[in-house]
Amino acid sequence: MRFQPASYLFAARALRDFGDAFVAVLLPVYLLALGFTPLQVGVVATASLLGSASLTIGIGFLGARHDHRRLLLAAAGLMCATGAAFVFLHDYALLLLVAFAGTINPSAGSVSIFVPLEHAVLAREVAASARTRMFARYSFVGAIAAAFGGLAAAIPDHLAMFGLDRLGGIRVMFVLYALLGVLGGSLYARIPARETVPKTKPTAALGPSRHVVFKLAALFSLDAFAGGFVVQSLLALWLFERFNLSLSQAATFFFWSGLLSAASYLVAARLSRRIGLINTMVFTHIPSSVALMLAAVAPTLPVALALLLLRAALSQMDVPTRSSYVMAVVTEPERAAAASFTSVPRSLAAAISPTFAGLLFAASLQAWPLFICGALKISYDLLVLAQFRHVKPPEEQT
């Protein structure tokens, strides 16, 4: 049976998101167990997001001229090396360096060196009318895998019955993360090679769509800066400190949260056909931000978790619609660069806020990151609606 390139990308995305999800939950636990402070945890999250931004901007330039398969294989190799490094390194400065240069993803989301390349490959596989459904399925597969990855974060506690302490159990999980990089690479190797642009004919990464891409990048960076206050690692830290949640309880919560996010991707594809991509992005995002702000003042753990689960069911519906929209409003040769250049400002902006969140945690202002995130995200939604409600993708132009 011959599989399409999209099938290999879906499988690779599932492996990667499974690993990212358990690492996002275990990273703060691991760093705190090594004796580091909440502020230092925030700095590590910032370093990893800054490094992701640097790598992604390089991919944006290379993607227009080089084989996407080769670049994806290199990224998979880096993922393997990152997992191995976290197993053996315990010095804070070295961990910062690995976080910056590697693929550790504290957000357990779409901020990744892999994403621009995968988006470009996927977009050329389908017609415009099927593009959003393709991205919805792509996001759905990743979210389901991430849900089970969040559940897998409880494995170190279960390894105690074999005589392994928590630190040892977490290191086993980083070994698993490295192995997932190897498996992902084997899937990328099956994608057919594409013709590259000859070196004698250099092509600009962005051409006629430059203005639209830069405007989208600016708005997406505001959204990412807001989201950086509650990346999954920091949200886990908030639950640990605010409600004394156990690792097993946190893993269960992130599992159900991931399942709700996964289901929302499929709903987003259907909803976008009725009300449009931009409206779907905005009018599902605002209620999710309100739920997050209410969770910050929730009096009990069940109320807080219910509000956070409501947020999970709504907050990610803009992911496949946003990806589809970017691919729709640029020309085909610009797609890899557009995906990269809208991801890089997101990565840079998201890299700044975890440190601020860490400072607020250190000052015992644990609820403030949730408030700030919600307020900024609502501002972003209103700006997107004002700027792009009349810029329609091809399938919405009637």
Side-chain angles (χ1 to χ4, degrees):
M1 181 177 180
R2 184 178 179 182
F3 292 96
Q4 297 297 319
S7 301
Y8 297 120
L9 290 180
F10 283 15
R13 170 76 188 266
L15 292 173
R16 186 176 75 253
D17 280 14
F18 178 78
D20 283 344
F22 67 68
V23 164
V25 178
L26 293 174
L27 183 63
V29 180
Y30 183 59
L31 295 175
L32 291 173
L34 289 175
F36 303 126
T37 66
L39 174 58
Q40 289 175 307
V41 174
V43 173
V44 168
T46 291
S48 67
L49 292 169
L50 278 173
S52 178
S54 302
L55 291 170
T56 305
I57 197 168
I59 287 293
F61 287 106
L62 294 172
R65 301 174 176 85
H66 296 277
D67 180 23
H68 294 160
R69 180 183 64 175
R70 185 174 299 175
L71 295 174
L72 284 167
L73 285 170
L78 184 61
M79 178 177 175
C80 180
T82 301
F86 265 85
V87 173
F88 297 108
L89 299 179
H90 311 130
D91 179 77
Y92 185 69
L94 292 176
L95 289 172
L96 268 181
L97 179 62
V98 173
F100 178 82
T103 60
I104 288 293
N105 184 3
S107 65
S110 59
V111 179
S112 168
I113 183 178
F114 298 89
V115 170
L117 298 169
E118 291 180 344
H119 281 189
V121 174
L122 286 172
R124 67 179 176 232
E125 293 295 317
V126 294
S129 59
R131 188 187 55 255
T132 302
R133 289 197 300 274
M134 171 73 84
F135 278 105
R137 291 195 294 269
Y138 168 76
S139 299
F140 173 79
V141 167
I144 289 291
F148 282 96
L151 198 61
I155 289 176
D157 282 351
H158 298 302
L159 291 177
M161 67 180 68
F162 299 103
L164 204 61
D165 62 14
R166 174 173 283 189
L167 267 178
I170 294 175
R171 290 187 182 116
V172 168
M173 299 304 289
F174 280 117
V175 172
L176 175 59
Y177 180 82
L179 292 175
L180 292 174
V182 175
L183 292 174
S186 69
L187 291 167
Y188 291 135
R190 296 175 180 270
I191 299 173
R194 299 285 179 174
E195 275 191 36
T196 57
V197 177
K199 294 181 179 180
T200 55
K201 297 180 180 179
T203 303
L206 283 176
S209 308
R210 183 182 291 108
H211 177 70
V212 170
V213 170
F214 288 167
K215 187 183 290 188
L216 285 169
L219 290 171
F220 292 169
S221 67
L222 174 60
D223 178 49
F225 176 75
F229 281 93
V230 288
V231 294
Q232 191 158 309
S233 292
L234 293 179
L235 184 58
L237 181 61
W238 179 73
L239 289 169
F240 294 146
E241 296 202 346
R242 173 75 172 82
F243 296 107
N244 197 30
L245 209 65
S246 72
L247 189 55
S248 295
Q249 288 173 321
T252 302
F253 164 72
F254 284 114
F255 169 72
W256 288 109
S257 174
L259 288 184
L260 287 172
S261 293
S264 76
Y265 294 136
L266 301 182
V267 175
R270 292 176 177 269
L271 187 61
S272 67
R273 291 201 298 272
R274 293 180 177 271
I275 66 174
L277 291 172
I278 291 295
N279 288 338
T280 302
M281 290 164 60
V282 170
F283 294 119
T284 60
H285 219 218
I286 291 176
S288 75
S289 298
V290 173
L292 177 66
M293 297 169 77
L294 291 174
V297 294
T300 64
L301 176 62
V303 173
L305 293 181
L307 287 165
L308 291 174
L309 288 173
L310 175 61
R311 174 187 179 244
L314 296 171
S315 65
Q316 299 300 302
M317 291 177 75
D318 71 318
V319 172
T321 47
R322 181 180 65 222
S323 300
S324 179
Y325 187 79
V326 171
M327 295 295 98
V329 296
V330 302
T331 63
E332 183 174 351
E334 297 174 291
R335 281 174 173 167
S340 177
F341 292 168
T342 52
S343 295
V344 168
R346 283 178 56 80
S347 299
L348 290 172
I352 299 170
S353 36
T355 295
F356 290 128
L359 287 170
L360 292 169
F361 272 101
S364 298
L365 299 172
Q366 290 93 340
W368 275 97
L370 282 70
F371 280 122
I372 294 170
C373 175
L376 289 177
K377 280 183 172 288
I378 290 172
S379 300
Y380 153 78
D381 291 321
L382 297 176
L383 287 170
V384 167
L385 186 64
Q387 292 291 319
F388 286 96
R389 68 183 184 276
H390 297 306
V391 182
K392 305 290 187 182
E395 66 271 21
E396 294 178 23
Q397 295 175 7
T398 56

